[in-house]
Coordinates of all heavy atoms in Angstrom, one line a residue:
S29 N -7.2 65.4 89.4 CA -8.2 66.2 88.7 C -9.2 65.3 87.9 O -8.9 64.1 87.7 CB -7.7 67.2 87.9 OG -7.2 66.6 86.6
H30 N -10.3 65.8 87.5 CA -11.3 65.1 86.8 C -10.7 64.6 85.5 O -11.0 63.5 84.9 CB -12.5 65.9 86.6 CG -13.6 65.2 85.8 ND1 -14.3 64.2 86.4 CD2 -14.0 65.3 84.5 CE1 -15.1 63.8 85.5 NE2 -15.1 64.4 84.4
L31 N -9.9 65.5 84.8 CA -9.2 65.1 83.6 C -8.3 64.0 83.7 O -8.1 63.2 82.8 CB -8.5 66.2 83.0 CG -9.3 67.3 82.2 CD1 -8.5 68.5 81.8 CD2 -10.0 66.7 81.0
E32 N -7.6 64.0 84.8 CA -6.7 62.8 85.0 C -7.4 61.5 85.2 O -6.9 60.5 84.7 CB -5.8 63.1 86.3 CG -4.4 63.5 86.0 CD -3.6 63.8 87.2 OE1 -4.0 64.4 88.2 OE2 -2.4 63.1 87.4
R33 N -8.4 61.5 86.1 CA -9.1 60.2 86.4 C -9.9 59.7 85.2 O -10.1 58.6 85.0 CB -10.0 60.5 87.5 CG -9.3 60.5 88.9 CD -10.2 60.5 90.0 NE -11.5 61.5 89.8 CZ -11.5 62.7 90.3 NH1 -10.5 63.2 90.8 NH2 -12.5 63.4 90.1
R34 N -10.6 60.7 84.5 CA -11.5 60.3 83.4 C -11.0 61.0 82.1 O -11.9 61.6 81.5 CB -12.9 60.6 83.7 CG -13.4 59.9 84.9 CD -14.9 60.2 85.2 NE -15.3 59.6 86.5 CZ -16.2 58.7 86.6 NH1 -17.0 58.6 85.7 NH2 -16.6 58.3 87.8
G35 N -9.9 60.8 81.8 CA -9.3 61.6 80.7 C -9.9 61.2 79.3 O -10.2 62.1 78.6
L36 N -10.2 60.0 79.0 CA -10.8 59.7 77.8 C -12.2 60.1 77.6 O -12.4 60.8 76.6 CB -10.9 58.1 77.6 CG -11.4 57.6 76.3 CD1 -10.6 58.0 75.2 CD2 -11.5 56.0 76.4
L37 N -13.0 60.0 78.5 CA -14.4 60.4 78.5 C -14.4 62.0 78.4 O -15.2 62.5 77.6 CB -15.2 60.0 79.7 CG -15.5 58.5 79.6 CD1 -16.3 58.1 80.9 CD2 -16.3 58.1 78.4
T38 N -13.6 62.6 79.1 CA -13.6 64.0 79.2 C -13.0 64.6 77.9 O -13.6 65.6 77.3 CB -12.6 64.6 80.4 OG1 -13.2 64.1 81.6 CG2 -12.6 66.1 80.5
M39 N -12.0 64.0 77.3 CA -11.5 64.4 76.0 C -12.5 64.3 74.9 O -12.7 65.1 74.1 CB -10.2 63.8 75.7 CG -9.1 64.1 76.4 SD -8.7 66.0 76.5 CE -8.4 66.3 74.7
I40 N -13.3 63.1 75.0 CA -14.3 62.9 74.0 C -15.3 64.1 74.1 O -15.7 64.7 73.1 CB -15.0 61.6 74.2 CG1 -14.0 60.4 73.8 CG2 -16.3 61.5 73.3 CD1 -14.6 59.0 74.2
A41 N -15.8 64.4 75.3 CA -16.8 65.4 75.5 C -16.3 66.8 75.1 O -17.0 67.5 74.4 CB -17.3 65.4 76.9
I42 N -15.0 67.1 75.4 CA -14.5 68.4 75.0 C -14.4 68.6 73.6 O -14.6 69.6 73.0 CB -13.2 68.6 75.8 CG1 -13.5 68.8 77.3 CG2 -12.4 69.8 75.2 CD1 -12.2 68.9 78.2
R43 N -13.9 67.5 73.0 CA -13.7 67.6 71.5 C -15.1 67.6 70.7 O -15.3 68.2 69.7 CB -12.9 66.4 71.0 CG -11.4 66.5 71.5 CD -10.7 67.7 70.9 NE -9.4 67.6 71.3 CZ -8.5 68.7 71.2 NH1 -9.0 69.9 70.9 NH2 -7.3 68.5 71.5
A44 N -16.0 66.8 71.3 CA -17.3 66.7 70.5 C -18.1 67.9 70.7 O -18.8 68.4 69.8 CB -18.1 65.6 71.1
L45 N -18.0 68.6 71.9 CA -18.7 69.9 72.1 C -17.6 71.0 72.2 O -16.9 71.1 73.1 CB -19.5 69.8 73.4 CG -20.4 68.7 73.5 CD1 -20.9 68.6 75.0 CD2 -21.5 68.8 72.6
P46 N -17.6 71.9 71.1 CA -16.5 72.8 71.1 C -16.6 73.9 72.1 O -17.3 74.8 72.0 CB -16.5 73.4 69.7 CG -18.0 73.1 69.3 CD -18.4 71.8 69.9
V47 N -16.1 73.6 73.4 CA -16.2 74.5 74.5 C -15.1 75.5 74.6 O -15.2 76.5 75.4 CB -16.4 73.8 75.8 CG1 -17.7 73.0 75.8 CG2 -15.2 72.8 76.1
A48 N -13.9 75.2 73.9 CA -12.7 76.1 74.0 C -11.9 75.9 72.7 O -12.0 74.9 72.1 CB -12.0 75.7 75.2
P49 N -11.1 76.9 72.4 CA -10.2 76.7 71.3 C -9.4 75.5 71.5 O -9.0 75.2 72.7 CB -9.4 78.0 71.2 CG -10.2 79.0 72.0 CD -11.0 78.2 73.0
F50 N -8.9 75.0 70.3 CA -8.0 73.7 70.4 C -6.8 74.0 71.3 O -6.3 73.1 72.1 CB -7.5 73.3 69.0 CG -8.5 72.4 68.4 CD1 -9.6 72.7 67.8 CD2 -8.1 71.1 68.3 CE1 -10.5 71.8 67.3 CE2 -9.0 70.1 67.7 CZ -10.1 70.5 67.2
I51 N -6.1 75.2 71.1 CA -5.0 75.4 71.8 C -5.2 75.5 73.3 O -4.3 74.9 74.2 CB -4.3 76.7 71.4 CG1 -2.9 76.9 72.0 CG2 -5.1 77.9 71.7 CD1 -1.8 76.0 71.4
M52 N -6.3 75.9 73.8 CA -6.6 75.9 75.2 C -6.8 74.5 75.7 O -6.4 74.2 76.8 CB -7.8 76.8 75.6 CG -7.6 78.3 75.3 SD -6.1 79.0 76.1 CE -6.7 78.9 77.7
V53 N -7.5 73.7 75.0 CA -7.8 72.3 75.3 C -6.4 71.6 75.4 O -6.2 70.9 76.3 CB -8.7 71.7 74.4 CG1 -8.9 70.2 74.7 CG2 -10.1 72.3 74.4
N54 N -5.6 71.8 74.4 CA -4.3 71.2 74.4 C -3.5 71.5 75.6 O -2.8 70.7 76.2 CB -3.6 71.5 73.1 CG -4.3 71.0 71.9 OD1 -5.2 70.2 71.9 ND2 -3.9 71.5 70.7
L55 N -3.4 72.8 75.9 CA -2.6 73.3 77.1 C -3.1 72.8 78.3 O -2.4 72.3 79.3 CB -2.5 74.8 77.1 CG -1.7 75.5 76.0 CD1 -1.9 76.9 76.0 CD2 -0.2 75.2 76.2
S56 N -4.4 72.8 78.4 CA -5.1 72.3 79.7 C -4.8 70.7 79.9 O -4.5 70.3 81.0 CB -6.6 72.6 79.6 OG -6.8 73.9 79.6
A57 N -4.9 70.0 78.8 CA -4.7 68.6 78.9 C -3.3 68.2 79.3 O -3.1 67.4 80.1 CB -5.2 67.8 77.6
G58 N -2.3 69.0 78.7 CA -0.9 68.8 79.1 C -0.7 69.2 80.5 O 0.0 68.5 81.2
A59 N -1.3 70.4 80.9 CA -1.0 70.9 82.3 C -1.6 69.9 83.4 O -1.1 69.8 84.5 CB -1.5 72.3 82.4
L60 N -2.7 69.3 83.0 CA -3.5 68.5 84.0 C -3.1 67.1 83.8 O -3.6 66.2 84.4 CB -4.9 68.6 83.8 CG -5.5 70.0 84.2 CD1 -6.9 70.2 83.7 CD2 -5.3 70.3 85.7
R61 N -2.0 66.8 83.0 CA -1.4 65.4 82.9 C -2.4 64.4 82.4 O -2.4 63.2 83.0 CB -0.8 65.1 84.1 CG 0.3 66.0 84.6 CD 1.2 65.5 85.7 NE 2.1 66.4 86.2 CZ 3.2 66.9 85.7 NH1 3.6 66.3 84.5 NH2 4.0 67.8 86.3
V62 N -3.1 64.7 81.4 CA -4.0 63.6 80.7 C -3.1 62.7 80.0 O -2.1 63.1 79.3 CB -5.0 64.3 79.8 CG1 -5.7 63.2 79.0 CG2 -5.9 65.2 80.5
K63 N -3.3 61.4 80.2 CA -2.5 60.4 79.5 C -2.5 60.6 78.0 O -3.6 60.9 77.4 CB -3.0 59.0 79.9 CG -2.8 58.6 81.4 CD -3.4 57.3 81.6 CE -3.5 57.1 83.2 NZ -4.3 56.0 83.5
L64 N -1.4 60.4 77.4 CA -1.4 60.5 75.9 C -2.4 59.7 75.2 O -3.0 60.1 74.2 CB 0.1 60.2 75.3 CG 0.3 60.4 74.0 CD1 0.1 61.9 73.5 CD2 1.7 59.9 73.6
K65 N -2.5 58.4 75.7 CA -3.5 57.5 75.1 C -4.9 58.1 75.2 O -5.7 58.1 74.2 CB -3.4 56.1 75.7 CG -4.4 55.1 75.2 CD -4.4 53.9 76.1 CE -5.1 54.3 77.4 NZ -5.7 53.2 78.1
D66 N -5.3 58.5 76.3 CA -6.6 59.2 76.5 C -6.9 60.4 75.7 O -7.8 60.6 75.1 CB -6.9 59.5 78.0 CG -6.9 58.3 78.9 OD1 -7.1 57.1 78.4 OD2 -6.8 58.5 80.1
Y67 N -5.7 61.2 75.6 CA -5.8 62.4 74.8 C -6.0 62.2 73.3 O -6.9 62.7 72.7 CB -4.5 63.2 75.0 CG -4.4 64.5 74.2 CD1 -5.1 65.6 74.4 CD2 -3.7 64.4 73.0 CE1 -5.1 66.7 73.6 CE2 -3.6 65.6 72.1 CZ -4.4 66.8 72.5 OH -4.3 67.9 71.6
V68 N -5.3 61.2 72.8 CA -5.2 60.9 71.4 C -6.6 60.2 71.0 O -7.4 60.6 70.1 CB -4.0 60.0 70.9 CG1 -4.3 59.6 69.5 CG2 -2.8 60.8 71.0
L69 N -7.0 59.1 71.7 CA -8.2 58.4 71.5 C -9.4 59.3 71.7 O -10.4 59.3 70.9 CB -8.3 57.2 72.3 CG -7.4 56.0 72.0 CD1 -7.6 54.9 73.0 CD2 -7.8 55.5 70.6
G70 N -9.4 60.1 72.7 CA -10.5 61.1 73.0 C -10.7 62.1 71.9 O -11.7 62.4 71.5
S71 N -9.6 62.6 71.4 CA -9.6 63.6 70.3 C -10.1 62.9 69.1 O -11.0 63.5 68.4 CB -8.2 64.0 70.1 OG -7.9 64.9 71.1
I72 N -9.7 61.7 68.6 CA -10.2 61.1 67.5 C -11.6 60.8 67.6 O -12.4 61.1 66.8 CB -9.3 59.7 67.3 CG1 -8.0 60.1 66.9 CG2 -10.0 58.9 66.2 CD1 -7.0 58.9 66.8
I73 N -12.1 60.1 68.7 CA -13.5 59.8 68.9 C -14.4 61.0 68.9 O -15.5 61.0 68.4 CB -13.6 58.9 70.1 CG1 -12.9 57.5 69.9 CG2 -15.1 58.7 70.4 CD1 -12.9 56.7 71.2
G74 N -14.0 62.0 69.7 CA -14.7 63.2 69.8 C -14.9 64.0 68.5 O -15.9 64.7 68.3
L75 N -13.9 64.0 67.6 CA -13.9 64.7 66.4 C -14.5 64.0 65.3 O -14.9 64.7 64.2 CB -12.6 65.3 66.0 CG -11.9 66.3 67.0 CD1 -10.4 66.5 66.6 CD2 -12.6 67.6 66.9
M76 N -14.8 62.7 65.5 CA -15.2 61.9 64.3 C -16.6 62.3 63.8 O -16.8 62.4 62.7 CB -15.1 60.4 64.7 CG -15.3 59.5 63.6 SD -15.1 57.8 63.9 CE -13.6 57.7 64.8
P77 N -17.6 62.5 64.7 CA -19.0 62.8 64.2 C -19.0 64.0 63.4 O -19.6 64.0 62.4 CB -19.8 62.9 65.5 CG -19.1 62.2 66.5 CD -17.6 62.3 66.2
A78 N -18.3 65.1 63.8 CA -18.3 66.3 63.0 C -17.6 66.1 61.7 O -18.1 66.6 60.6 CB -17.6 67.4 63.8
H79 N -16.6 65.4 61.7 CA -15.8 65.2 60.4 C -16.6 64.3 59.5 O -16.5 64.5 58.3 CB -14.5 64.6 60.6 CG -13.5 65.7 61.1 ND1 -13.3 66.0 62.4 CD2 -12.6 66.5 60.4 CE1 -12.4 66.9 62.6 NE2 -12.0 67.3 61.3
L80 N -17.3 63.2 60.0 CA -18.1 62.4 59.3 C -19.3 63.1 58.6 O -19.6 63.0 57.4 CB -18.6 61.2 60.1 CG -19.3 60.1 59.4 CD1 -18.5 59.5 58.3 CD2 -19.9 59.1 60.3
G81 N -19.9 63.9 59.3 CA -21.0 64.8 59.0 C -20.6 65.7 57.8 O -21.3 65.8 56.8
L82 N -19.4 66.4 57.9 CA -18.9 67.3 56.9 C -18.5 66.5 55.7 O -18.8 66.9 54.6 CB -17.7 68.0 57.5 CG -17.0 69.0 56.6 CD1 -18.1 70.1 56.3 CD2 -15.8 69.6 57.2
F83 N -17.9 65.3 55.9 CA -17.6 64.5 54.7 C -18.9 64.1 53.9 O -18.9 64.1 52.7 CB -16.8 63.3 55.2 CG -16.7 62.2 54.1 CD1 -15.7 62.4 53.1 CD2 -17.4 61.1 54.1 CE1 -15.6 61.4 52.1 CE2 -17.3 60.1 53.1 CZ -16.3 60.3 52.1
L84 N -19.9 63.7 54.6 CA -21.1 63.3 53.9 C -21.7 64.4 53.2 O -22.3 64.3 52.2 CB -22.1 62.6 54.9 CG -21.6 61.2 55.5 CD1 -22.6 60.8 56.5 CD2 -21.5 60.2 54.4
F85 N -21.8 65.6 53.8 CA -22.4 66.8 53.2 C -21.6 67.1 52.0 O -22.1 67.4 50.9 CB -22.4 67.9 54.2 CG -22.8 69.2 53.6 CD1 -24.1 69.4 53.2 CD2 -21.9 70.2 53.3 CE1 -24.5 70.6 52.7 CE2 -22.2 71.4 52.8 CZ -23.5 71.5 52.5
M86 N -20.3 67.2 52.1 CA -19.5 67.5 50.9 C -19.5 66.6 49.8 O -19.5 66.9 48.7 CB -18.0 67.8 51.4 CG -17.8 69.0 52.3 SD -18.5 70.5 51.6 CE -17.4 70.8 50.2
D87 N -19.6 65.3 50.2 CA -19.8 64.3 49.1 C -21.1 64.4 48.4 O -21.1 64.3 47.2 CB -19.6 62.9 49.7 CG -19.6 61.8 48.8 OD1 -18.8 61.9 47.8 OD2 -20.4 60.9 48.9
S88 N -22.1 64.7 49.2 CA -23.4 64.9 48.6 C -23.4 66.2 47.7 O -24.0 66.1 46.6 CB -24.5 65.0 49.5 OG -24.7 63.8 50.3
L89 N -22.7 67.2 48.2 CA -22.7 68.4 47.4 C -22.0 68.4 46.1 O -22.4 68.7 45.0 CB -22.1 69.6 48.3 CG -22.0 70.9 47.7 CD1 -23.5 71.5 47.4 CD2 -21.3 71.9 48.6
S90 N -20.8 67.6 46.2 CA -20.0 67.5 44.9 C -20.6 66.4 43.9 O -20.6 66.7 42.7 CB -18.6 66.9 45.3 OG -18.6 65.6 45.9
A91 N -21.5 65.5 44.4 CA -22.1 64.6 43.6 C -23.2 65.4 42.8 O -23.5 65.3 41.6 CB -22.8 63.5 44.4
A92 N -23.9 66.3 43.6 CA -25.0 67.2 43.0 C -24.4 68.1 41.9 O -25.0 68.4 40.9 CB -25.8 67.9 44.0
W93 N -23.3 68.6 42.3 CA -22.5 69.5 41.3 C -22.0 68.8 40.0 O -22.2 69.4 39.0 CB -21.4 70.2 42.0 CG -20.7 71.2 41.3 CD1 -19.6 71.1 40.4 CD2 -21.0 72.6 41.2 NE1 -19.3 72.3 39.9 CE2 -20.1 73.3 40.3 CE3 -22.1 73.4 41.7 CZ2 -20.2 74.6 40.0 CZ3 -22.1 74.7 41.5 CH2 -21.2 75.3 40.6
R94 N -21.4 67.6 40.3 CA -20.9 66.9 39.1 C -22.0 66.4 38.1 O -21.8 66.5 36.9 CB -20.1 65.8 39.5 CG -18.6 66.1 40.0 CD -17.8 64.9 40.2 NE -18.4 63.8 40.9 CZ -18.2 63.7 42.2 NH1 -17.6 64.5 42.9 NH2 -18.9 62.7 42.9
S95 N -22.9 65.8 38.7 CA -23.9 65.2 37.8 C -25.3 65.6 38.4 O -25.9 64.8 39.2 CB -23.8 63.7 37.7 OG -23.7 63.2 38.9
P96 N -25.9 66.7 38.1 CA -27.1 67.1 38.7 C -28.2 66.1 38.3 O -28.5 65.9 37.1 CB -27.4 68.4 38.2 CG -26.2 68.9 37.5 CD -25.4 67.6 37.2
S97 N -28.9 65.5 39.3 CA -30.0 64.6 39.1 C -30.9 64.7 40.3 O -30.5 65.2 41.4 CB -29.5 63.2 38.9 OG -28.9 62.6 40.0
A98 N -32.0 64.2 40.2 CA -33.0 64.3 41.2 C -32.5 63.5 42.4 O -32.6 64.0 43.7 CB -34.4 63.7 40.8
S99 N -31.8 62.3 42.2 CA -31.3 61.5 43.4 C -30.2 62.2 44.2 O -30.2 62.1 45.4 CB -30.8 60.2 43.0 OG -29.8 60.3 42.0
S100 N -29.4 62.9 43.4 CA -28.2 63.6 44.0 C -28.7 64.8 44.9 O -28.2 65.1 46.0 CB -27.2 64.1 43.1 OG -27.7 65.0 42.1
F101 N -29.8 65.5 44.4 CA -30.3 66.7 45.2 C -31.2 66.2 46.4 O -31.2 66.7 47.4 CB -31.2 67.5 44.3 CG -30.3 68.5 43.4 CD1 -30.2 68.2 42.0 CD2 -29.6 69.5 44.0 CE1 -29.4 69.0 41.3 CE2 -28.7 70.3 43.2 CZ -28.7 70.1 41.8
V102 N -31.7 65.0 46.2 CA -32.6 64.3 47.4 C -31.4 64.0 48.4 O -31.6 64.3 49.7 CB -33.3 63.1 46.8 CG1 -33.9 62.3 48.1 CG2 -34.4 63.6 46.1
A103 N -30.4 63.4 48.1 CA -29.3 62.9 49.0 C -28.8 64.3 49.6 O -28.5 64.2 50.9 CB -28.2 62.2 48.3
L104 N -28.5 65.3 48.9 CA -28.1 66.4 49.5 C -29.1 67.0 50.4 O -28.7 67.6 51.6 CB -27.8 67.5 48.4 CG -27.2 68.9 48.9 CD1 -25.9 68.7 49.6 CD2 -27.0 69.8 47.7
G105 N -30.3 67.1 50.1 CA -31.4 67.6 51.0 C -31.5 66.8 52.3 O -31.7 67.4 53.3
V106 N -31.5 65.4 52.1 CA -31.5 64.6 53.3 C -30.2 64.9 54.3 O -30.4 65.0 55.5 CB -31.5 63.2 53.0 CG1 -31.3 62.2 54.2 CG2 -32.9 62.8 52.3
C107 N -29.1 65.1 53.6 CA -28.0 65.4 54.5 C -28.2 66.7 55.2 O -27.8 66.8 56.4 CB -26.7 65.4 53.6 SG -25.2 65.5 54.5
V108 N -28.6 67.7 54.5 CA -28.8 69.0 55.1 C -29.8 68.9 56.3 O -29.7 69.5 57.3 CB -29.1 70.0 54.1 CG1 -29.6 71.3 54.7 CG2 -28.0 70.4 53.2
A109 N -30.9 68.2 56.0 CA -32.0 68.0 57.0 C -31.5 67.4 58.3 O -31.8 67.8 59.4 CB -33.1 67.3 56.3
L110 N -30.6 66.2 57.9 CA -30.2 65.6 59.1 C -29.2 66.4 60.0 O -29.2 66.3 61.2 CB -29.5 64.2 58.7 CG -30.4 63.1 58.2 CD1 -29.6 62.0 57.7 CD2 -31.3 62.7 59.4
L111 N -28.3 67.1 59.3 CA -27.3 68.0 60.1 C -28.1 69.1 60.7 O -27.8 69.3 62.0 CB -26.4 68.6 59.0 CG -25.2 67.6 58.5 CD1 -24.4 68.3 57.5 CD2 -24.4 67.2 59.7
S112 N -29.1 69.6 60.2 CA -29.9 70.6 60.8 C -30.6 70.1 62.1 O -30.7 70.7 63.1 CB -31.0 71.3 59.8 OG -30.3 71.8 58.8
L113 N -31.2 69.0 61.9 CA -31.9 68.3 63.0 C -30.9 68.0 64.2 O -31.2 68.3 65.3 CB -32.6 67.0 62.5 CG -33.4 66.2 63.5 CD1 -34.6 67.1 64.0 CD2 -33.9 64.9 63.0
L114 N -29.7 67.6 63.8 CA -28.7 67.2 64.9 C -28.3 68.6 65.6 O -28.2 68.5 66.7 CB -27.4 66.6 64.2 CG -26.3 66.5 65.1 CD1 -26.6 65.4 66.2 CD2 -25.1 66.0 64.3
F115 N -28.0 69.6 64.8 CA -27.7 71.0 65.4 C -28.8 71.5 66.3 O -28.5 72.0 67.4 CB -27.2 71.9 64.4 CG -25.8 71.6 63.8 CD1 -25.8 71.7 62.4 CD2 -24.8 71.2 64.6 CE1 -24.5 71.3 61.8 CE2 -23.6 71.0 64.1 CZ -23.5 70.9 62.6
W116 N -30.1 71.3 65.8 CA -31.2 71.7 66.5 C -31.3 70.9 67.9 O -31.4 71.6 69.0 CB -32.5 71.6 65.8 CG -33.7 71.9 66.6 CD1 -34.2 73.1 66.9 CD2 -34.5 70.9 67.3 NE1 -35.3 73.0 67.7 CE2 -35.6 71.5 67.9 CE3 -34.5 69.5 67.3 CZ2 -36.5 71.0 68.7 CZ3 -35.5 68.9 68.0 CH2 -36.4 69.6 68.7
W117 N -31.1 69.7 67.8 CA -31.2 68.8 69.0 C -30.0 69.1 70.0 O -30.3 69.3 71.2 CB -31.1 67.4 68.6 CG -31.3 66.5 69.8 CD1 -32.3 66.0 70.5 CD2 -30.1 65.8 70.4 NE1 -32.1 65.2 71.4 CE2 -30.6 65.0 71.4 CE3 -28.8 65.8 70.2 CZ2 -29.9 64.3 72.3 CZ3 -28.0 65.0 71.0 CH2 -28.6 64.2 72.1
L118 N -28.9 69.3 69.5 CA -27.7 69.7 70.4 C -28.0 71.1 71.0 O -27.7 71.2 72.2 CB -26.4 69.7 69.5 CG -25.8 68.4 69.3 CD1 -24.6 68.5 68.3 CD2 -25.3 67.7 70.6
R119 N -28.6 72.0 70.2 CA -28.8 73.4 70.9 C -29.8 73.2 71.9 O -29.6 73.8 73.1 CB -29.2 74.3 69.8 CG -29.4 75.6 70.2 CD -29.8 76.6 69.1 NE -30.0 77.9 69.7 CZ -30.7 78.8 69.1 NH1 -31.4 78.5 67.9 NH2 -31.0 79.9 69.7
K120 N -30.8 72.5 71.8 CA -31.9 72.3 72.7 C -31.4 71.6 74.0 O -31.6 72.0 75.1 CB -33.0 71.5 72.1 CG -34.2 71.3 73.0 CD -35.3 70.6 72.3 CE -36.5 70.3 73.3 NZ -37.4 69.5 72.7
K121 N -30.5 70.6 73.8 CA -30.0 69.8 74.9 C -29.0 70.6 75.8 O -28.9 70.5 76.9 CB -29.3 68.5 74.4 CG -30.2 67.4 74.0 CD -30.9 67.1 75.3 CE -31.2 65.6 75.3 NZ -32.1 65.3 76.5
L122 N -28.2 71.5 75.0 CA -27.1 72.1 75.7 C -27.4 73.6 76.2 O -26.6 74.1 76.9 CB -25.9 72.2 74.7 CG -25.3 70.9 74.4 CD1 -24.2 71.1 73.4 CD2 -24.8 70.1 75.5
S123 N -28.6 74.1 75.7 CA -28.9 75.5 76.2 C -29.4 75.4 77.6 O -30.1 74.4 78.0 CB -30.0 76.0 75.2 OG -31.2 75.3 75.4
P124 N -29.0 76.4 78.4 CA -29.5 76.5 79.7 C -31.1 76.6 79.8 O -31.7 77.1 78.9 CB -28.9 77.8 80.2 CG -28.4 78.5 79.1 CD -28.3 77.6 77.9
M125 N -31.6 76.1 80.9 CA -33.0 76.1 81.1 C -33.6 77.6 81.1 O -32.9 78.4 81.7 CB -33.4 75.4 82.4 CG -33.0 73.9 82.5 SD -33.7 72.9 81.1 CE -35.2 72.5 81.9
R126 N -34.7 77.7 80.5 CA -35.2 79.0 80.5 C -36.4 79.1 81.3 O -37.1 78.3 81.8 CB -35.7 79.4 79.0 CG -34.5 79.5 78.1 CD -35.1 79.6 76.8 NE -33.8 79.5 75.9 CZ -33.9 79.7 74.6 NH1 -34.9 80.1 74.0 NH2 -32.9 79.5 73.9

């Protein structure tokens, strides 16, 4: 199967683009005999961008909450703008042609 031959790339794509619940991805990967190394590395690499974005957003939000200043609100605004731009771009790229 495609998952067996290209397990790492497929796992990265599946984790980066939430196409199915985690349990379904886990069961499918096990049933299709994805190598453990490909499964673990693909999951780590695929989930990293979302977690990094969330971490940066929460860090900016907590900094603005702890010590409100113009620079902390600018950093929060930039973070929100970048995340919004990323989600807009992903939606545009992944939506079916109209």
Side-chain angles (χ1 to χ4, degrees):
S29 79
H30 183 72
L31 277 174
E32 253 182 311
R33 288 189 313 267
R34 297 178 187 240
L36 180 63
L37 294 176
T38 304
M39 287 306 301
I40 291 171
I42 288 173
R43 293 298 190 198
L45 307 169
V47 294
F50 268 80
I51 190 71
M52 295 304 295
V53 172
N54 298 343
L55 286 170
S56 300
L60 295 171
R61 301 192 188 284
V62 173
K63 294 177 190 166
L64 180 62
K65 176 188 70 152
D66 292 344
Y67 175 79
V68 172
L69 285 176
S71 293
I72 290 171
I73 294 168
L75 291 172
M76 196 178 306
H79 283 89
L80 184 61
L82 184 60
F83 168 75
L84 292 174
F85 172 73
M86 291 306 293
D87 187 51
S88 299
L89 183 62
S90 66
W93 184 267
R94 279 192 312 267
S95 57
S97 66
S99 62
S100 64
F101 283 109
V102 167
L104 180 61
V106 167
C107 188
V108 168
L110 287 175
L111 286 173
S112 299
L113 184 64
L114 174 68
F115 289 133
W116 172 82
W117 181 80
L118 282 173
R119 183 175 176 205
K120 184 178 176 185
K121 281 297 210 189
L122 299 175
S123 67
M125 300 298 276
R126 295 178 191 182

